[in-house]
């Protein structure tokens, strides 16, 4: 699943880097990270409570059907409001002459892309919660075909950023539509279910959203700081080197999204120390795979930039090295954090994310003024390192607390 998405996004990124200006590619990057922000918020708010609900109602199909039906009903009400709000902001900005007509169309197309990807991501999330990855893969294949064909067409136009945003929207509708039909066929939701599920999970979801939004700030928000401190062209240089890390990042993120229901299931039947050993072994394996890929990338870097990307950046090597270390830290974070999420530690994770975000953004802001493009990554590296250290400490404390509780009721620790 993630190899498919990773390869597609890598191809699209390389097409845009090779055949468009740095500014157009920079706008595409800003649209992509906006999609990432809002889909991350949606997933963070819904997924933990949804997976826990589906796991606990494993033998009650009616309860599952009512809950998913209610979630979908709420989502259908919110998506049009979001799309209209984003388009309205863009139109007002144009009337106030804050943006030109070309950028207006980029924002409008971007709003459509965001809305369509929220639709698609909802059904991907529910299917993964039901542990039906094959249905997700088939929908993702349709998404990838439309995305790549559309990208080939978009680079031929004089407005590739707006065109790619429209392609992202169309691909999401096609892929998400298939996943919606798959869910309806295999695990149908109750269309008459009363709305209100989003309100029901508010107490847990709001902390997860805070954590996801803050986490986005120090992993992706630096792009907006780069625009303010440096330029859109610098966004393109940083993003182009990061594109080469996409296979590792997407595989880690995709595996982590499927690992959450798996870890939740493990915790229902095993002691926490057993689960932690499994998670740490899994994380170590992914880190080793990432290291192998990054070493190959470093050896072939001259050929990649000269022949494949046909672009050269002043700080190419230092950006690659910094992104490689950041990528390894992200792999660790993605795999380890779900043990805490399964124990509903949203408030603690939000606090940790806030600390990391403040440190990351502050360091990026000041470092960019002194070191230019690499300065943005110094901040991200600091934030990711602090995040991994904090998560490991929280996991150990949580496990010790669980061990103490087990001893208090006479359960033998493994």
């Amino acid at each position: 699943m993630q190899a498919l998405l990773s390869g597609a996004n890598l191809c699209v990124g390389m097409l845009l880097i090779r055949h468009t200006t740095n500014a157009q590619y920079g706008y595409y990057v800003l649209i992509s990270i906006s999609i990432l922000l809002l889909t991350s918020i949606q997933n963070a708010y819904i997924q933990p409570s949804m997976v826990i609900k589906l796991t606990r109602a494993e033998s009650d199909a009616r309860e599952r059907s009512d809950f998913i039906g209610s979630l979908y009903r709420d989502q259908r009400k919110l998506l049009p409001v979001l799309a209209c709000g984003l388009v309205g902001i863009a139109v007002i900005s144009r009337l106030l002459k804050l943006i030109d007509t070309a950028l207006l169309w980029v924002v409008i197309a971007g709003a459509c892309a965001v809305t369509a990807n929220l639709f698609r991501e909802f059904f991907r999330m529910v299917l993964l919660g039901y542990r039906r990855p094959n249905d997700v893969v088939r929908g993702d294949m349709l998404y990838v075909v439309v995305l790549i064909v559309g990208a080939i067409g978009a680079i031929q136009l004089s407005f590739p950023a707006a065109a790619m945003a429209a392609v992202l929207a169309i691909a999401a509708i096609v892929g998400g539509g298939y996943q919606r039909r798959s869910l309806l066929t295999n695990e149908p939701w109750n269309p008459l279910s009363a709305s209100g599920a989003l309100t029901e999970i508010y107490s847990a979801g709001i902390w997860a959203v805070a954590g996801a939004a803050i986490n986005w700030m120090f992993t992706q928000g630096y792009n907006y700081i780069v625009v303010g401190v440096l330029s859109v062209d610098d966004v393109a240089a940083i993003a182009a080197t990061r594109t080469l890390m996409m296979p590792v990042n997407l595989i880690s993120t995709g595996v982590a999204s499927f690992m959450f229901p798996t870890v939740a299931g493990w915790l229902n039947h095993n002691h926490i120390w057993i689960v932690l050993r499994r998670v740490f072994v899994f994380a170590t394996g992914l880190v080793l795979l990432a290291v192998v890929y990054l070493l190959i990338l470093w050896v072939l870097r001259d050929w990649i930039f000269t022949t494949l990307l046909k672009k050269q950046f002043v700080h190419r090597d230092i950006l690659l090295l910094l992104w490689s270390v950041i990528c390894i830290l992200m792999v660790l974070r993605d795999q380890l954090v779900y043990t805490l999420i399964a124990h509903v530690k949203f408030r603690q994770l939000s606090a940790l994310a806030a600390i990391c975000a403040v440190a990351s953004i502050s360091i990026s802001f000041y470092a960019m003024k002194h070191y230019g493009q690499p300065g943005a990554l110094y901040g991200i590296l600091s934030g990711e390192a602090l995040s991994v250290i904090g998560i490991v400490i929280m996991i150990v404390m949580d496990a010790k607390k669980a061990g103490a509780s087990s001893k208090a009721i006479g359960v033998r620790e493994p």
Side-chain angles (χ1 to χ4, degrees):
M1 182 195 310
Q2 292 308 312
L4 182 70
L5 293 175
S6 176
N9 282 284
L10 187 60
C11 288
V12 170
M14 287 186 172
L15 282 171
L16 292 171
I17 293 168
R18 281 173 60 104
H19 299 286
T20 66
T21 64
N22 285 347
Q24 287 292 310
Y25 178 62
Y27 287 132
Y28 167 75
V29 170
L30 294 175
I31 292 170
S32 297
I33 64 174
S34 298
I35 292 173
L36 178 62
L37 169 63
L38 291 174
T39 53
S40 296
I41 286 175
Q42 175 180 259
N43 289 1
Y45 189 87
I46 296 175
Q47 188 186 40
S49 298
M50 181 197 70
V51 169
I52 291 170
K53 184 83 169 180
L54 295 181
T55 302
R56 291 176 178 173
E58 194 170 357
S59 58
D60 191 339
R62 178 63 181 272
E63 185 178 354
R64 298 195 306 270
S65 173
D66 288 345
F67 183 70
I68 298 302
S70 183
L71 283 177
Y72 183 41
R73 191 166 187 165
D74 289 345
Q75 198 223 31
R76 282 186 301 173
K77 292 179 181 178
L78 290 176
L79 288 186
V81 175
L82 174 65
C84 291
L86 292 174
V87 171
I89 292 172
V91 172
I92 292 171
S93 298
R94 178 66 188 99
L95 293 175
L96 295 175
K97 297 183 178 180
L98 298 175
I99 60 176
D100 58 23
T101 303
L103 189 53
L104 170 65
W105 287 111
V106 171
V107 176
I108 291 175
C112 296
V114 166
T115 307
N117 275 275
L118 286 171
F119 165 82
R120 168 178 172 259
E121 198 61 36
F122 176 82
F123 289 103
R124 293 184 82 254
M125 174 176 55
V126 176
L127 284 169
L128 288 172
Y130 276 118
R131 301 182 190 180
R132 300 191 64 86
N134 291 338
D135 293 329
V136 177
V137 171
R138 285 188 281 269
D140 286 349
M141 288 177 67
L142 292 174
Y143 170 83
V144 163
V145 169
V146 175
L147 187 66
I148 293 177
V149 172
I152 294 171
I155 60 176
Q156 311 298 326
L157 303 176
S158 59
F159 45 93
M164 268 311 303
V167 169
L168 284 168
I170 295 170
I173 291 171
V174 172
Y178 177 87
Q179 287 155 349
R180 179 185 182 277
R181 291 191 296 274
S182 296
L183 181 64
L184 188 60
T185 300
N186 297 290
E187 290 283 352
W189 61 86
N190 179 8
L192 301 178
S193 180
S195 60
L198 291 180
T199 304
E200 179 186 333
I201 63 176
Y202 175 83
S203 58
I206 194 62
W207 286 107
V209 164
I214 295 169
N215 181 66
W216 178 90
M217 285 174 60
F218 80 82
T219 58
Q220 298 290 342
Y222 70 90
N223 285 288
Y224 290 104
I225 299 176
V226 172
V227 173
V229 177
L230 302 176
S231 69
V232 176
D233 285 357
D234 290 295
V235 171
I238 295 171
T241 51
R242 184 178 190 173
T243 297
L244 301 175
M245 311 291 158
M246 195 175 292
V248 176
N249 188 36
L250 285 180
I251 288 172
S252 175
T253 303
V255 170
S257 66
F258 191 70
M259 277 292 288
F260 176 48
T262 303
V263 170
W266 286 346
L267 287 169
N268 275 346
H269 302 97
N270 297 280
H271 193 279
I272 187 170
W273 286 110
I274 295 175
V275 175
L276 287 178
R277 281 197 289 269
R278 292 177 182 176
V279 172
F280 272 101
V281 168
F282 199 84
T284 301
L286 284 180
V287 166
L288 291 175
L289 286 174
V291 169
V292 171
Y293 171 79
L294 295 170
L295 286 174
I296 294 172
L297 182 65
W298 179 256
V299 171
L300 298 177
R301 67 190 185 282
D302 290 331
W303 176 78
I304 289 171
F305 279 91
T306 302
T307 305
L308 285 183
L309 301 183
K310 292 187 178 179
K311 288 282 175 70
Q312 290 296 331
F313 304 110
V314 176
H315 303 287
R316 183 197 71 181
D317 286 358
I318 184 63
L319 290 176
L320 276 177
L321 286 172
L322 288 169
W323 274 128
S324 296
V325 178
I326 292 168
C327 215
I328 290 170
L329 291 173
M330 285 181 174
V331 170
L332 282 172
R333 170 174 55 81
D334 287 344
Q335 306 311 312
L336 299 179
V337 72
Y338 280 110
T339 305
L340 296 170
I341 292 177
H343 279 177
V344 201
K345 302 293 182 180
F346 302 125
R347 191 172 301 184
Q348 295 89 329
L349 286 171
S350 296
L352 175 63
I355 294 170
C356 295
V358 171
S360 176
I361 291 173
S362 300
I363 294 170
S364 288
F365 180 78
Y366 288 105
M368 271 189 281
K369 290 189 171 183
H370 292 90
Y371 304 106
Q373 295 170 3
L377 303 195
Y378 292 148
I380 301 172
L381 178 60
S382 302
E384 287 291 349
L386 188 59
S387 178
V388 170
I389 292 170
I391 287 171
V392 170
I393 292 173
M394 290 170 63
I395 285 174
V396 172
M397 291 175 62
D398 191 44
K400 287 183 177 179
K401 184 178 179 181
S405 300
S406 298
K407 289 179 180 179
I409 61 174
V411 176
R412 186 180 178 183
E413 191 173 308

